[in-house]
Amino acid sequence: MSDGTCTKKRLWRWRGNPLRRRDDILEAWIVLAVWAVVLVGGTFVGLVTAHAADEAFAQQRAERHSVRAVVLADVPASSTEAGGTRALARISWTAPDGTTHTDQTLVDTGHKAGSEVVAWLDGRGDLATEPPSPTEGAIEAGILGTAAALGLAGTVCGAGALVRWRLDRRRIEQWGREWDLVGPRWGHKTG
C-alpha cells in the first residue's frame, strides 16, 4: 500500500463525500481533540504533578531531622503469622532545647527496653515519618505524575467515547427515520 493511500484512509472523515454527514465531521474533530488533550494535557498534568510532588518531598527532607530515642518497653518480635516487621512502641527523646518528650511511634520489632532507635521530627518538634531519600522521592514523584497523566487520559477518552456513542445513537435514529420515508418506495411488499 502506498503512503498516499494510507494517508487517505486515515483522513477519510475529512474527505469530500456525498454520504458524509455533519455528525461524521463532528466525530472526526472529537477524535482529534481527544488525542490532542491526551497527549498535550496528559504530558502537562504529569509533569506538573511530578514537579509538585518532588518539591513536597524536598521540603520534607529540609524540615525533618532525626534524633536518637530510647525505647521505653520491650517490643515483641513479630510472629510469622502477623508478618509485620514494625510495631508501635513508646519512646523518649531529648529535644535540642533540652526538654524530654515521650510519644508512640513505629519501630522495628525485637527491640528491648533501653535500646536506641532513630526517630524523625518535623519543624514543630512532633514525631513524623522519615522523609523519602532523593531517589525514593524522584521515583514516587514519577509514579504520581504518571498516575495523574493516566487519570486525565482515562477521563478524556471516556468523555470522548460517551460523545461518540451519543453521535452513533443519533445517526441510527436518523437512518431509521430516513428508512421509514424511503423504504416503502422500494417496491411491493410480499405477504
Side-chain angles (χ1 to χ4, degrees):
M1 189 181 291
S2 70
D3 286 339
T5 306
C6 188
T7 303
K8 283 182 182 178
K9 283 188 176 186
R10 282 190 207 131
L11 301 176
W12 70 269
R13 288 183 170 103
W14 280 285
R15 285 191 318 214
N17 183 336
L19 298 177
R20 182 185 66 198
R21 297 175 187 230
R22 188 170 107 351
D23 287 351
D24 297 332
I25 296 170
L26 183 59
E27 181 181 17
W29 282 108
I30 288 169
V31 169
L32 183 66
V34 164
W35 278 107
V37 170
V38 164
L39 292 176
V40 175
T43 302
F44 179 75
V45 165
L47 289 174
V48 166
T49 302
H51 181 67
D54 200 33
E55 282 184 356
F57 297 142
Q59 183 177 2
Q60 286 179 2
R61 283 190 295 276
E63 287 178 352
R64 296 180 185 176
H65 61 281
S66 63
V67 294
R68 291 281 177 202
V70 176
V71 177
L72 299 178
D74 290 348
V75 181
S78 66
S79 67
T80 55
E81 294 171 8
T85 60
R86 295 177 63 82
L88 199 59
R90 194 147 193 80
I91 62 170
S92 176
W93 72 94
T94 304
D97 63 2
T99 59
T100 303
H101 298 274
T102 304
D103 205 345
Q104 287 187 338
T105 190
L106 288 174
V107 298
D108 292 334
T109 56
H111 280 290
K112 300 288 182 198
S115 61
E116 283 193 359
V117 293
V118 175
W120 287 86
L121 304 177
D122 61 14
R124 297 183 313 248
D126 296 329
L127 283 175
T129 58
E130 180 180 358
S133 70
T135 303
E136 291 170 341
I139 290 170
E140 194 168 343
I143 290 170
L144 291 171
T146 302
L150 290 174
L152 176 74
T155 302
V156 170
C157 287
L162 181 66
V163 171
R164 290 180 68 203
W165 174 76
R166 198 60 198 120
L167 284 172
D168 284 342
R169 292 199 34 119
R170 191 164 76 179
R171 279 189 287 243
I172 289 169
E173 288 171 3
Q174 287 174 345
W175 289 337
R177 286 192 301 269
E178 290 172 5
W179 182 253
D180 289 343
L181 294 172
V182 174
R185 295 189 216 157
W186 276 38
H188 69 284
K189 293 184 178 178
T190 60

